[in-house]
Amino acid sequence: MPGLASRLATSSAPATIAMSIKARALRQAGHDVISLALGEPDFATPPHVIEAAYAAAREGQTKYPPVDGTAALKQAVIAKFAHENGIEYTLDEVMVANGGKQILFNAFMATLDPGDEVVIPAPYWASYPLTVELLGGVPVFAACSEVDGFRLRPEALAAAIGPRTKWVILNFPNNPTGAICTEADLQALGEVLTRHPDVWILCDEIYEHLVFGDAAHASLARVVPSLRDRILTLSGVSKSYAMTGWRIGYAGGPAALIRAMLVIQSNATSGASSIGQAAAAAALSGPQDLVATMRDTYRRRRDMVVAALRAIPGVTCAIPEGAFYAYPGIAGCIGRTSAGGIRIDSDEDFALALLDEEHVAVVAGSAFGISPYVRLSVASDDDSLAEACRRIARFCTTLR
Ligand code: PLP
């Protein structure tokens, strides 16, 4: 076979996707599998959004859309950033892409030279280091610990930034831990970032609507406006409006960076789907009922799942303050053997044995940079979650 590019030597598909493929295969083989592996709302896209897409198609919005996004969606994004986040962007400071994932790819492709470092707080969304490595950059991790509720400490951030740092990624509410960042936390992180004027800052706020406590979500570009011209604020409709399949994400940032990202996007995919953009504009501008419904539902499920996990001997679980994941620690299960005879030496062993023996798919913490943990999504119906927790409890209590 002709060869592949050397950049693939260090990169692979995310473990979240690999795990859900395994779960699907087991299900096709007739097993009763509960998959909590993927980060995807279990709600339907709101009807008015689907109607808007239908109307757009009927009205002939079926031609190539502008690379940076349709006028209607860009206006909706600008209004959203102003009203919800307190950030004023102009038309040349926002862009639309095929999901938040493409925003990330555009930004790193447009700015990273080989060897440039990207500081990534861990645990992290697996796509950050995979994308950085794919593009020749070097991920540098700033560890967040369970005892701090997985919040990023300013000292950990400061220690990770060096002379080759090109980007710092801040992802709150966090995937996979659900950790959030209060205004006071952002001020403290902002003080560190102010000392490093040559560093770009990616604020990935895709879970911004899913915050459970009293602290509202806050955006760094508003809280520390002096950093605004170095911040790329990323969001999208996937998680907030149950629109993962529509593939629409967007970002606001300095015009020069957005321009560079558009050069990349124009060569890769051109503009995002015109129908998806019409749908996203309706989601941002229309009724917001689903957002509150999803938040309340995830919060209730989070309480149920955290209580069930904490009752299992050998399992710990910090309370996720946002997003729709739990990130339980499984240190008490390491070194033991499952009822099916599999020795659990790592969280990967744990996740694979749990899938094989109890048919519950979760993702090993090794994919998110801090072990031994597993990530499970609470974006699943109550009965499945309750049954998954029963199976996890049975799995853990029968370890020898
Ligand atoms: N950022 C984080 C932290 C995510 O978890 C995801 C999706 O899982 C994304 C960005 C990108 O989502 P999308 O490409 O669907 O907009």
Side-chain angles (χ1 to χ4, degrees):
M1 181 178 100
L4 301 175
S6 52
R7 70 175 70 89
L8 279 174
T10 53
S11 214
S12 57
T16 45
I17 292 179
M19 207 59 190
S20 46
I21 290 172
K22 278 201 178 81
R24 205 172 300 146
L26 269 177
R27 194 173 286 142
Q28 272 163 4
H31 296 290
D32 169 24
V33 176
I34 302 175
S35 180
L36 308 179
L38 265 194
E40 167 154 83
D42 60 317
F43 289 81
T45 300
H48 73 275
V49 171
I50 293 175
E51 283 307 318
Y54 182 47
R58 231 181 15 222
E59 287 159 14
Q61 291 185 37
T62 50
K63 309 287 188 197
Y64 283 125
V67 175
D68 56 339
T70 61
L73 180 53
K74 286 186 68 181
Q75 289 295 358
V77 165
I78 287 172
K80 182 260 175 225
F81 274 131
H83 297 142
E84 292 190 354
N85 307 87
I87 317 172
E88 303 289 337
Y89 286 121
T90 52
L91 275 172
D92 57 352
E93 292 178 317
V94 295
M95 69 171 289
V96 174
N98 294 271
K101 212 170 210 178
Q102 193 182 21
I103 294 286
L104 189 77
F105 197 93
N106 288 337
F108 291 158
M109 184 126 196
T111 54
L112 289 182
D113 283 318
D116 282 349
E117 294 178 357
V118 178
V119 171
I120 305 175
Y124 46 72
W125 180 40
S127 286
Y128 298 139
L130 294 172
T131 306
V132 168
E133 284 173 348
L134 197 58
L135 297 172
V138 180
V140 174
F141 302 110
C144 307
S145 83
E146 190 178 352
V147 289
D148 296 325
F150 291 111
R151 289 193 183 192
L152 173 62
R153 296 175 69 90
E155 311 85 73
L157 174 62
I161 299 176
R164 292 230 52 185
T165 305
K166 196 67 164 280
W167 282 91
V168 165
I169 299 180
L170 300 178
N171 168 221
F172 300 107
N174 179 267
N175 173 6
T177 65
I180 61 159
C181 210
T182 62
E183 286 208 28
D185 295 335
L186 286 175
Q187 290 282 6
L189 297 175
E191 277 173 33
V192 175
L193 293 163
T194 301
R195 298 201 293 269
H196 299 280
D198 296 328
V199 172
W200 292 107
I201 305 153
L202 174 70
C203 291
D204 182 344
E205 306 189 358
I206 201 145
Y207 295 96
E208 62 184 312
H209 293 115
L210 303 176
V211 176
F212 305 129
D214 296 332
H217 173 76
S219 294
L220 185 66
R222 175 184 65 76
V223 176
V224 189
S226 57
L227 295 174
R228 183 193 181 281
D229 288 345
R230 296 196 271 133
I231 295 176
L232 183 68
T233 306
L234 176 160
S235 196
V237 294
S238 287
K239 319 288 179 177
S240 297
Y241 300 97
M243 292 177 66
T244 46
W246 298 79
R247 306 309 305 129
I248 300 293
Y250 55 86
L257 177 62
I258 296 289
R259 254 195 319 278
M261 290 165 62
L262 287 170
V263 171
I264 305 297
Q265 181 159 301
S266 61
N267 284 297
T269 56
S270 296
S273 150
S274 55
I275 306 302
Q277 294 198 59
L284 293 184
S285 320
Q288 301 292 303
D289 325 15
L290 178 67
V291 177
T293 304
M294 288 201 296
R295 185 171 44 229
D296 294 346
T297 307
Y298 295 144
R299 187 199 167 117
R300 188 174 48 69
R301 291 176 184 163
R302 172 204 69 173
D303 291 344
M304 192 255 278
V305 166
V306 169
L309 292 171
R310 284 182 163 184
I312 303 173
V315 175
T316 56
C317 191
I319 296 187
E321 295 174 277
F324 47 56
Y325 306 101
Y327 199 61
I330 53 145
C333 304
I334 298 297
R336 304 177 66 194
T337 302
S338 71
I342 297 176
R343 196 180 143 83
I344 311 292
D345 283 326
S346 65
D347 48 27
E348 287 171 34
D349 294 340
F350 182 98
L352 287 172
L354 182 68
L355 182 58
D356 274 350
E357 297 178 19
E358 292 288 355
H359 301 144
V360 176
V362 297
V363 184
S366 55
F368 308 102
I370 299 270
S371 291
Y373 291 85
V374 292
R375 187 194 78 173
L376 50 92
S377 163
V378 302
S380 196
D381 66 90
D382 291 26
D383 290 347
S384 300
L385 285 172
E387 174 60 16
C389 288
R390 270 194 293 278
R391 294 185 194 181
I392 296 171
R394 185 166 60 204
F395 179 80
C396 293
T397 50
T398 54
L399 291 173
R400 301 189 296 273

